[in-house]
Amino acid sequence: MSKKQELISEMLEMQKKFIAHEQSGAFDAEEYYVGEWKTYRERYQELAAEVREIASQEANFWK
C-alpha cells in the first residue's frame, strides 16, 4: 500500500468515527472547535495536506 493510500485510509476511518458520533446525537459544535474534536480536526487537516502534496507531486511527475 502506498503512503497516499495509507493516509486516505486513515482519513476514511476518521470520517466513519465522526459520522457515527454526529449521528449519535452527541455532537457539540463547541467541542468540534475547542474540545476533544479539535485534535481530530487538526489531524484530519494534516492528513489532507499531506495527501494533497503527494497528489501534486504525482501530477507534476507525469507532465
Side-chain angles (χ1 to χ4, degrees):
M1 182 180 291
S2 74
K3 177 70 173 173
K4 183 174 76 173
Q5 289 172 321
E6 289 175 18
L7 296 170
I8 291 170
S9 291
E10 184 177 346
M11 291 172 73
L12 291 172
E13 286 303 314
M14 291 177 73
Q15 287 175 0
K16 286 179 191 176
K17 179 181 175 184
F18 179 77
I19 289 168
H21 177 68
E22 186 179 36
Q23 290 177 346
S24 75
F27 178 78
D28 178 349
E30 185 175 341
E31 279 190 25
Y32 185 70
Y33 290 100
V34 296
E36 170 188 349
W37 289 92
K38 180 182 179 199
T39 304
Y40 165 93
R41 277 189 319 103
E42 290 169 349
R43 176 65 181 149
Y44 194 87
Q45 289 170 344
E46 288 172 11
L47 291 169
E50 196 169 345
V51 168
R52 186 173 45 251
E53 180 63 29
I54 292 169
S56 293
Q57 290 172 1
E58 289 173 351
N60 288 332
F61 178 79
W62 294 107
K63 287 185 178 182

